[in-house]
Amino acid sequence: AALVVDGHEQAGPALGADGTDQAAKLGGRGDVAAEEDHAEGIDLAQQGAGLAAPQIGVNLQLVIFGFSNNARYPDAPPVPETVLLNPVITPLSDEMEEGWEGCLSVPGYYENVERPLHIQVRALDRNGVPFEIKPEGLLAVCIQHELDHLNGKLFVDYLSNLKRQRIRKQLEKQH
């Protein structure tokens, strides 16, 4: 849930799905360090590139991502650890790119997903300071993937019904 000012979405206070100010619940601190510390406790080295707060049961518009090397993306350059609080994403063109994606929420499954090639992201950093980036390549894909989690979407939601049903049946057999 982004803050809207004069008809434009803005990065604002950390709002939960119910619209409450979540930053006030972070041990009385106005930054996101408490939840970031929690997220860092989840080992991103499990082959993941990022993590969204809802994936670990935290009701915040917060994602953390970054890696120095990653077995899933062995040829990718390092991505510095980054926190996005109340991120707002804007596609900068209609140009799309298809790329291979997987997710810790759907372990063992990978498929091609089409996403905007050029994006802009506005967010607050871990200290609540607004910033803007225009990521490219794997970083752009990672950010879009993690922001999907904030909206209750998984990469499989971009697949055909047939592929989604096949993955669902395979997951049900495993559990």
Side-chain angles (χ1 to χ4, degrees):
L3 181 67
V4 178
V5 177
D6 296 328
H8 296 90
E9 289 184 316
Q10 304 290 320
L15 300 178
D18 60 359
T20 59
D21 182 350
Q22 299 296 302
K25 296 180 182 180
L26 300 179
R29 298 191 287 187
D31 62 16
V32 298
E35 287 305 322
E36 182 182 348
D37 292 345
H38 183 102
E40 287 174 345
I42 306 297
D43 187 12
L44 292 181
Q46 296 175 331
Q47 312 295 328
L51 191 67
Q55 288 179 279
I56 57 172
V58 177
N59 189 20
L60 285 176
Q61 294 288 301
L62 171 73
V63 299
I64 182 172
F65 57 86
F67 55 86
S68 55
N69 56 34
N70 187 295
R72 223 188 229 176
Y73 311 104
D75 299 326
V79 173
E81 185 177 289
T82 304
V83 172
L84 301 175
L85 176 62
N86 274 13
V88 176
I89 189 169
T90 306
L92 297 177
S93 75
D94 292 333
E95 196 174 354
M96 303 290 280
E97 181 174 58
E98 192 171 271
W100 197 245
E101 289 189 36
C103 184
L104 298 174
S105 298
V106 189
Y109 294 91
Y110 304 89
E111 289 287 343
N112 280 313
V113 175
E114 189 175 59
R115 295 192 180 271
L117 182 59
H118 304 285
I119 62 171
Q120 172 183 294
V121 180
R122 289 179 290 135
L124 302 176
D125 69 11
R126 68 180 299 166
N127 297 311
V129 177
F131 72 101
E132 179 180 301
I133 56 175
K134 293 180 181 174
E136 298 178 350
L138 178 60
L139 180 56
V141 170
C142 178
I143 290 172
Q144 291 175 78
H145 178 104
E146 295 307 327
L147 269 56
D148 277 348
H149 286 297
L150 299 181
N151 296 312
K153 288 185 85 170
L154 297 173
F155 81 97
V156 295
D157 293 323
Y158 292 95
L159 305 178
S160 69
N161 285 335
L162 180 63
K163 285 184 178 181
R164 259 197 324 273
Q165 289 173 358
R166 187 180 71 229
I167 291 171
R168 183 176 294 123
K169 286 180 183 179
Q170 291 171 347
L171 287 170
E172 287 171 355
K173 286 181 185 177
Q174 294 173 8
H175 293 69

